């Protein structure tokens, strides 16, 4: 299935991108779990729309806990004071862009994120602040040694987020793609050792009507696995019956 333009009619009307976006992420996760990942790893799709916020440390209610404590004289009710901060002196205007990704986690000894596949949405590209935010997210992955694959098939927004990342990292022009390239995928493999830190990078230019490539995905530093984007795309297209729209 050559790459289709999901942002032009009839697909944009009859098969909205948001639905296909999540289907493609789920298909990639299914394919990784079924055919590619070795034992000890699992892929999980993560879709966050609007202000669905991920936080590193969460405080959660424990439904199995009781608000009582035991003492020598019996059981007493524990009173906990809920602390509220003062009103914030500054309110920042903000819009949270959606995120559609597949996380690959090592499962031995507890789950640890080792790789991520980011499927870029129009909101990631629609203004400079959003592009910088996405680049900062990618930089955070790489600085933690997390393998990364970004896929951009958005045709109704211009801009290259790989180049945005290169600019954020202060890297030379030779590391960037041509300015006119707005459809692409790039794999990043962060490595440390042999006297230097480095990020092996595989950029690939895409175009509508082209078959998608197989890209490397780094699992920690030990090895890479192949991600057949064409197979996952074809399966996602079949799940959403895109052939009924494009013939």
């Amino acid at each position: 299935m050559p790459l289709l333009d999901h942002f032009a009619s009839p697909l944009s009307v009859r098969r909205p991108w948001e639905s296909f976006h999540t289907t493609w992420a789920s298909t990639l996760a299914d394919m990784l779990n079924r055919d590619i990942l070795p034992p000890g790893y699992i892929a999980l799709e993560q879709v966050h729309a609007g202000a669905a916020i991920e936080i590193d440390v969460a405080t959660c209610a424990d439904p199995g806990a009781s608000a009582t404590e035991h003492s020598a004289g019996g059981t007493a009710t524990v009173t906990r004071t809920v602390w509220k901060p003062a009103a914030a002196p500054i309110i920042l205007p903000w819009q949270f862009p959606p995120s559609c990704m597949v996380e690959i986690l090592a499962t031995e000894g507890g789950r640890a994120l080792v790789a991520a596949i980011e499927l870029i949405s129009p909101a990631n590209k629609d203004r400079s602040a959003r592009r910088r935010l996405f680049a900062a997210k990618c930089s955070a992955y790489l600085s933690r040694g997390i393998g990364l694959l970004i896929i951009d098939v958005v045709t109704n927004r211009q801009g290259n987020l790989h180049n945005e990342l290169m600019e954020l990292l202060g890297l030379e022009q030779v590391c960037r793609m041509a300015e006119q390239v707005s459809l692409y995928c790039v794999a990043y493999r962060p490595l440390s050792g042999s006297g230097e830190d480095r990020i092996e990078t595989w950029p690939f230019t895409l175009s509508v009507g082209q078959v998608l490539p197989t890209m490397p995905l780094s699992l920690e530093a030990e090895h890479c696995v192949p991600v057949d984007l064409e197979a996952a795309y074809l399966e996602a297209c079949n799940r959403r019956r895109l052939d009924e729209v494009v013939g």
Side-chain angles (χ1 to χ4, degrees), residues 7 17-18 21 48 97-100 118-126 130-131 134 151-157 161:
F7 301 90
W17 167 249
E18 292 78 10
H21 204 196
H48 303 285
S99 174
C100 188
E118 286 277 355
L119 280 69
I120 293 171
S121 70
N124 297 132
K125 298 174 68 174
D126 70 352
R130 296 276 184 84
R131 294 191 293 269
F134 184 86
I151 306 166
D152 185 353
V153 298
V154 176
T155 59
N156 65 346
R157 299 286 190 278
L161 296 177

Side-chain angles (χ1 to χ4, degrees), residues 29-238:
D30 291 345
M31 185 181 71
L32 285 164
N33 290 325
R34 182 182 64 232
D35 303 324
I36 296 174
L37 292 177
Y41 295 91
I42 187 169
L44 302 172
E45 65 270 36
Q46 302 288 337
V47 179
H48 303 285
I53 306 169
E54 295 180 86
I55 56 178
D56 293 326
V57 180
T59 302
C60 302
D62 182 356
S66 172
T68 61
E69 65 176 7
H70 297 276
S71 64
T75 301
T77 301
V78 178
T79 302
R80 291 189 176 93
T81 302
V82 177
W83 180 80
K84 290 183 63 176
I90 300 175
I91 305 296
L92 304 177
W94 194 255
Q95 286 185 317
F96 293 96
S99 174
C100 188
M101 62 181 294
V102 178
E103 293 182 343
I104 296 85
L105 304 107
T107 57
E108 295 182 2
R111 294 192 305 178
L113 182 64
V114 297
I117 302 175
E118 286 277 355
L119 280 69
I120 293 171
S121 70
N124 297 132
K125 298 174 68 174
D126 70 352
R127 63 192 70 177
S128 60
R130 296 276 184 84
R131 294 191 293 269
R132 287 195 301 269
L133 186 63
F134 184 86
K137 181 181 182 180
C138 293
S139 176
Y141 285 138
L142 298 176
S143 67
R144 294 165 54 195
I146 294 170
L148 178 64
L149 171 60
I150 63 174
I151 306 166
D152 185 353
V153 298
V154 176
T155 59
N156 65 346
R157 299 286 190 278
Q158 298 302 305
N160 187 301
L161 296 177
H162 167 75
N163 290 350
E164 198 82 28
L165 174 59
M166 296 301 100
E167 182 176 348
L168 177 66
L169 298 178
L171 297 177
E172 300 176 356
Q173 190 67 35
V174 68
C175 301
R176 307 182 188 193
M177 305 178 79
E179 289 298 327
Q180 68 271 21
V181 173
S182 60
L183 304 182
Y184 54 90
C185 54
V186 188
Y188 306 88
R189 186 187 193 189
L191 295 171
S192 180
S194 303
E196 64 175 349
D197 296 339
R198 61 202 184 278
I199 300 174
E200 296 180 347
T201 307
W202 292 265
F204 195 97
T205 300
L206 303 177
S207 61
V208 172
Q210 170 190 342
V211 172
L212 296 170
T214 296
M215 299 293 290
L217 182 66
S218 174
L219 304 181
E220 301 170 285
E222 284 78 7
H223 57 277
C224 289
V225 295
V227 180
D228 188 342
L229 297 182
E230 176 63 21
Y233 183 73
L234 175 59
E235 186 174 334
C237 288
N238 288 336

